[in-house]
Amino acid sequence: MNTVTENPTHDLVVLDMAGTTVADGGLVERAFTAAAERLGEDPATMIDYVRATMGESKISVFRHLFGGDETRAKEANAAFETAYGELVDGGLIAPLPGAAEAIAQLKEQGRTVVLTTGFARVTQDAILDALGWRDLVELTLCPADAGGRGRPYPDMVLAAFLRTAAVDDVRRIVVAGDTSYDMLSGVRSGAGIVAGVLTGAHDRAALRQHGATHVLASVAELPTLIQESEA
C-alpha cells in the first residue's frame, strides 16, 4: 500500500495574486464600477455581490449579475478587463510588502511556485508586466488555462499539480489566498496546507469558515509556516 510520510515536504505552492501577493489598491471595485457605467448599469446595485465574490472568476460573477445572459456577461467582462488594464497601466499596482521576498525564499527552499488569478490572461499579463514579474515563477495560470473554470473550483490548483509535476500527491500542495474562494479551491483540490492571508478581501472568520488550515497576517509568513509543518 502506498503511504506518505508523517511530515511530507510541500514542494508545490500555489499563490493567488491580487490581495495575496499583489496590492491593487481597490482596483477591482474601481474597474467594476467603470465597466458597469460603460454598459449603462448602476454599479451601486451590484457592488455588494462583487465584494462578496472576490476571488471568483470575473466572468462567473458577471454571468450571475446578468442572470445567465452570456452575451451581456462577456460584454461586461471585456469592459472590466479593459478598465482594469488601464488602471494597471497607470501605475496603481504594487507587490504586497514581503511578497516577492517570500516567493524568492520558497524557491530557495526548493519549492515550485505558481501564481494564479481570477482575471483573464490579458489582465494577468498586464499585472506581471507592471510588476516586472514575468520571470518570477515557473508558471502562471488564469481560469482559461484550466479549462475555463476559476475559483471556487479546484481546477487551477490541479492544473498546477499536473503541469509542474512538482509533487506526487495533492496533499503536498500548499494553497494561499485572501478570499473564501481561494480557501474553497484549496480544500477541493486536496491541498495539505490551505493558508488564508489577511491582506485582502476577507477576514479571519470567513477564511476559517471556508476551510483555511492556517490564517497568516501576510504571505511573508508562509515560508516559515511550511518549514515548521515539515519539522
Side-chain angles (χ1 to χ4, degrees):
M1 181 175 65
N2 292 328
T3 60
V4 294
T5 58
E6 184 177 348
N7 295 306
T9 58
H10 294 84
D11 292 331
L12 175 58
V13 183
V14 182
L15 302 177
D16 171 53
M17 293 182 66
T20 302
T21 56
V22 178
D24 72 356
L27 296 195
V28 170
E29 290 190 24
R30 291 173 63 179
F32 170 78
T33 298
E37 290 173 346
R38 289 179 189 182
L39 269 67
E41 301 286 345
D42 179 7
T45 64
M46 304 177 179
I47 196 66
D48 286 345
Y49 184 78
V50 172
R51 289 170 178 158
T53 56
M54 286 290 187
E56 185 176 357
S57 169
K58 295 300 172 283
I59 185 64
S60 297
V61 173
F62 286 118
R63 284 180 182 130
H64 174 89
L65 289 172
F66 291 105
D69 184 334
E70 188 68 12
T71 299
R72 194 68 169 160
K74 287 181 177 179
E75 290 175 353
N77 192 59
F80 171 86
E81 299 288 352
T82 297
Y84 197 95
E86 290 170 353
L87 291 166
V88 169
D89 288 342
L92 301 176
I93 200 162
L96 276 162
E101 294 81 1
I103 292 170
Q105 189 175 352
L106 290 166
K107 292 167 66 177
E108 289 169 1
Q109 293 171 353
R111 310 184 203 280
T112 297
V113 181
V114 176
L115 292 175
T116 64
T117 184
F119 297 135
R121 168 55 61 184
V122 64
T123 304
Q124 185 177 38
D125 285 346
I127 295 170
L128 294 169
D129 287 339
L131 298 176
W133 279 13
R134 278 282 191 170
D135 300 318
L136 184 65
V137 299
E138 178 178 317
L139 180 66
T140 62
L141 294 171
C142 67
D145 299 321
R149 296 198 309 181
R151 310 179 191 105
Y153 296 100
D155 301 24
M156 286 194 289
V157 179
L158 296 176
F161 173 74
L162 293 170
R163 292 195 188 191
T164 64
V167 294
D168 58 7
D169 188 318
V170 293
R171 289 170 289 183
R172 295 175 59 197
I173 301 173
V174 176
V175 172
D178 67 296
T179 71
S180 300
Y181 287 87
D182 293 308
M183 302 301 96
L184 285 171
S185 69
V187 170
R188 292 171 179 177
S189 73
I193 294 175
V194 181
V197 299
L198 298 174
T199 49
H202 294 159
D203 62 16
R204 180 182 300 273
L207 297 170
R208 284 290 192 187
Q209 180 182 352
H210 291 87
T213 59
H214 304 78
V215 177
L216 308 176
S218 78
V219 75
E221 298 178 0
L222 189 61
T224 299
L225 167 67
I226 298 173
Q227 281 193 319
E228 290 176 350
S229 76
E230 296 169 346

